[in-house]
Amino acid sequence: YQNGIGANTEAILTRTLRHILYGGGGDNFKSSIASLFSSSEKGFAYDFSDISTMFQDTSGTIPLTAVDQLVARVNDLSGNGNHLIQSTSGTRPILKQDAKGYYLQFDGTNNFMQTSGTVNLSGLSLFTAFASLSKERNVAEIIFETSENYNNNSGAMLLYFDTNKITVVTRGEGTHPSGYTYVDVATTTGGVFTTQANLAAVSNKITTFRKDGVSQTMTGRLDNTSQTLTNQTLYVGTRVGAGAYLQTKFRALVFVGKTATTTDIERLENLLI
C-alpha cells in the first residue's frame, strides 16, 4: 500500500485480504448466510454483488450476464423464498461494477423492488439486520420497509437514510408515540450498517447499531410497549405512494429473525466492508 498502486487496486487487495483473514481463505457471502440461517430462521438475504443470484426476468429464467442490464429479480439466499422482483422495466435498478465488485444502482427517481408476497416475520421480537450501501445525498429515502407504509401497519418496520443520519423504526399498536420505537445514528456516508433489536423489551429495544464494524452512538430513542413483527410485503428502495426513492450503490441486504452471534456479525461485516 505504500508504493502508489492506485485506489482501485488497493480496494481489491483490501477486500481480498479481509476474505482471507476472516474467512479462512474459503469464506464467502453464501456460506456466511448458511451459518446465519442454520436453524431455518425467518428473514431474507440478498447479495447484490453476486451476479448469479440476479435475473433479467421476474421468473428467474434469463440470467444477468453483464453490467448495465436491468435487474428484474434477485434471489433470496436465506432459504425462505423471499425473492425480490420488479415487473416494470422502467423502475428496475441496474447492475453496475466498481473496484469493490458488482452492485445494484438505485437511481433515486423511481427504482425499487419488492417481494411478490408477504414475508413471514410473524411473532418475531428479535432480529439482526445488515445493509451495505452508499449514501449519495442527505435527504429522506427508504432503504427497506416492510409494508407500503409502516405507520399504517402494526408490526412493520423500516430502515432509512435522512439528512445526516440513518434511522431504524418499528411500529407497534396504538397511535404515535405508543408502540413505536426508533433510534438515529449520525452519518453522512454509507457503509456496512448492522442493527439488532429486542422488541419484547419495554425500553431500549434497539440494542446494537454498528457502522463498518464499529459501535455507534444511538440518539433520538423512542420506546413504549413491547412489540412483535408481523407478516408484510417487503419493499426495497421506496415507500409506496410516497416516493422517498433511494439513490445508492446497494451491495447487500440481510435480515434474520434472531440475535446473531458476535462471530456471525463480524464474519459477514468483514466480507462486506
Side-chain angles (χ1 to χ4, degrees):
Y1 297 102
Q2 305 299 321
N3 298 318
I5 60 175
N8 285 354
T9 302
E10 181 174 341
I12 293 170
L13 289 174
T14 299
R15 189 168 176 81
T16 301
L17 183 59
R18 284 184 178 276
H19 284 216
I20 294 170
L21 290 176
Y22 297 101
D27 199 11
N28 56 41
F29 189 91
K30 287 181 178 177
S31 65
S32 294
I33 294 304
S35 174
L36 199 60
F37 289 87
S38 60
S39 297
S40 301
E41 287 85 355
K42 296 177 180 180
F44 46 83
Y46 312 108
D47 185 357
F48 303 132
S49 70
D50 184 350
I51 194 171
S52 72
T53 69
M54 296 180 278
F55 300 86
Q56 299 180 67
D57 65 320
T58 58
S59 61
T61 60
I62 306 173
L64 217 62
T65 58
V67 296
D68 296 327
Q69 290 177 341
L70 298 176
V71 179
R73 175 183 171 117
V74 183
N75 279 352
D76 175 17
L77 298 176
S78 73
N80 291 310
N82 297 314
H83 311 306
L84 292 177
I85 61 169
Q86 178 48 264
S87 300
T88 304
S89 177
T91 58
R92 292 172 180 167
I94 189 170
L95 182 72
K96 292 289 188 180
Q97 186 177 26
D98 61 11
K100 289 185 70 174
Y102 293 116
Y103 61 88
L104 286 194
Q105 179 70 64
F106 287 75
D107 67 2
T109 301
N110 64 1
N111 294 171
F112 74 99
M113 302 191 81
Q114 67 180 84
T115 52
S116 58
T118 57
V119 176
N120 179 13
L121 303 178
S122 179
L124 288 180
S125 59
L126 302 175
F127 68 79
T128 307
F130 304 81
S132 176
L133 72 169
S134 65
K135 192 176 193 298
E136 304 289 330
R137 54 191 182 171
N138 290 330
V139 300
E141 48 190 358
I142 304 298
I143 298 171
F144 77 88
E145 184 164 16
T146 64
S147 81
E148 294 187 354
N149 186 329
Y150 85 106
N151 286 290
N152 302 326
N153 295 280
S154 178
M157 66 165 293
L158 80 160
L159 183 70
Y160 71 96
F161 282 136
D162 206 340
T163 303
N164 300 324
K165 65 183 180 181
I166 185 171
T167 301
V168 60
V169 190
T170 65
R171 167 77 160 90
E173 295 180 358
T175 58
H176 188 276
S178 176
Y180 282 72
T181 186
Y182 74 79
V183 297
D184 300 325
V185 168
T187 186
T188 58
T189 61
V192 178
F193 299 96
T194 304
T195 186
Q196 292 186 298
N198 176 8
L199 301 181
V202 174
S203 61
N204 297 332
K205 296 182 182 69
I206 308 301
T207 59
T208 302
F209 215 124
R210 292 156 61 101
K211 178 183 178 183
D212 295 335
V214 178
S215 294
Q216 303 295 298
T217 300
M218 295 182 281
T219 62
R221 283 186 177 275
L222 175 65
D223 289 289
N224 204 290
T225 57
S226 60
Q227 307 169 8
T228 58
L229 298 180
T230 55
N231 297 350
Q232 305 285 348
T233 301
L234 170 66
Y235 295 89
V236 177
T238 192
R239 170 169 292 169
V240 178
Y245 289 106
L246 178 66
Q247 181 176 314
T248 192
K249 298 177 179 180
F250 217 147
R251 301 184 190 275
L253 176 63
V254 178
F255 178 100
V256 61
K258 69 178 181 181
T259 301
T261 66
T262 300
T263 298
D264 276 338
I265 289 173
E266 292 180 347
R267 184 183 190 191
L268 191 53
E269 285 176 339
N270 284 308
L271 286 170
L272 295 173
I273 293 171

